[in-house]
Amino acid sequence: MRLLIINIKELLQIRDITIIKVSGKKMKELPTIKNAFLLLENDIIIDYGNMNDCPDVTKENTIDATGRLVLPTWCDSHTHIVYAGNREQEFVDRINGLSYEEIANRGGGILNSAEKLQNTTEDELYKQSLERVQNVVKLGTGAIEIKSGYGLTVESELKMLRVIKRLKENTAIKIKATFLGAHAIPKAFKGNTNGYIDLIINDMLPIIAKENLAEYIDVFCEKGYFSLENTERIMAVGKKHGLIPKIHVNQFNTFGGVELAVRYGALSVDHLEELSESDVVALKESDTIPVALPSCSYFLSIPYTPARKLIDAGLPLALATDYNPGSTPSGNMNFVISTACIKMKMTPEETINAATINGAYAMGISENYGSITKGKKANIIITKEVPSYNYLPYAFGENHIDKVIINGKLVV
Ligand code: NIG
Ligand code: FE
């Protein structure tokens, strides 16, 4: 089936296939065509250009996009969208003065979500997660990375990864799976971190590799969670099983996690609310992309990732939601780009690059997603009538999306 979108006010993020990410000053460039058409065939982008060169509209299925912008769907490279229940009581506890750390120390936080998930059936977990995925697709997300990490037992980590596998099979968007067994030390292993890492290495990883349940491996490298030594041990064995590292690092403290992740060839280092000069140096000599999660900073009232420091050093930057029940109960990429403009002093062009092509790079899919390129997947956002693309992050909190197309089909 073919679908022709005509009279597009401005078609955004037009790229040659050879671009897999954009870095430094280039992030300020967003190639566009005004008064454009876009032609999709089945699930692929096959042509685009100025309306003067538009194919014969009488022969095609058409959508008239007068006054509207068209752009590739968001690529959300960091989520924990598979979880059971919510943690709104902890939200209220924080308002009343407890810190995120204090809540975690008294057995709340990740351990609270783990207990809920352990007591939830795979079918129920799938149902709750599917609903969240469907909701973020309506907000323009066309590719998403999903982590395990709320299971923390062999059985429940596998349950999460099997739910991710079912989501891959039953939804049209692109999904990448990450094994985050090392998200927290479960109650049963309190004071015995190495014992839990043994369980990850000996009992979880071999099954995950054998059943092909994950592409990436993650560790929450942070004081009170997993040390540099712990992180290195897990990444090393994960890599032996063919899993590429994508690491939670520098959320609260910087102590060498970035350099370590880079040394292990991590695809991305995520969070970086704290950042040292040596982190920047390590990233400059690598293909590892930093990923910022501004909704998490917003929700927890912690510092924002210093985007200017990273971009002005010539580095690429991706933006993602971190959708999870504890630090970011929102999967809205539109809010992410707004917040990145408002709080991180990124330009609208930089945020759109960070949320499309660079997000795709951060989940290893930028050859097929993240830009308007002939041959790439037909995952498209059509906005409502708006004055310009600057208006998208500017008028925050409002839904500017009119239609979402996934694999060439309109999402209804
Ligand atoms: O990325 N930082 C670690 N993990 C999640 C939050 C986990 C939770 O509070 O449930 C994050 O922010
Ligand atoms: Fe996270």
Side-chain angles (χ1 to χ4, degrees), residues 5 19 45 54 92 110 137 155 181-182 263 278 289 308 331 405:
I5 308 172
I19 288 189
I45 296 169
C54 186
V92 177
I110 295 167
V137 173
E155 189 196 337
R263 194 145 50 78
S278 57
I289 190 166
R308 287 268 54 94
I405 294 169

Side-chain angles (χ1 to χ4, degrees), residues 78-80 147 150 180 183 218 248 251 270-271 293 296 322-324 327-328:
H78 181 137
T79 85
H80 310 247
K147 300 172 195 298
Y150 289 121
L180 174 58
H183 196 193
D218 195 348
H248 274 79
Q251 184 174 4
D270 303 39
H271 274 286
L293 310 163
C296 172
D322 198 18
Y323 195 176
N324 76 74
S327 73
T328 321

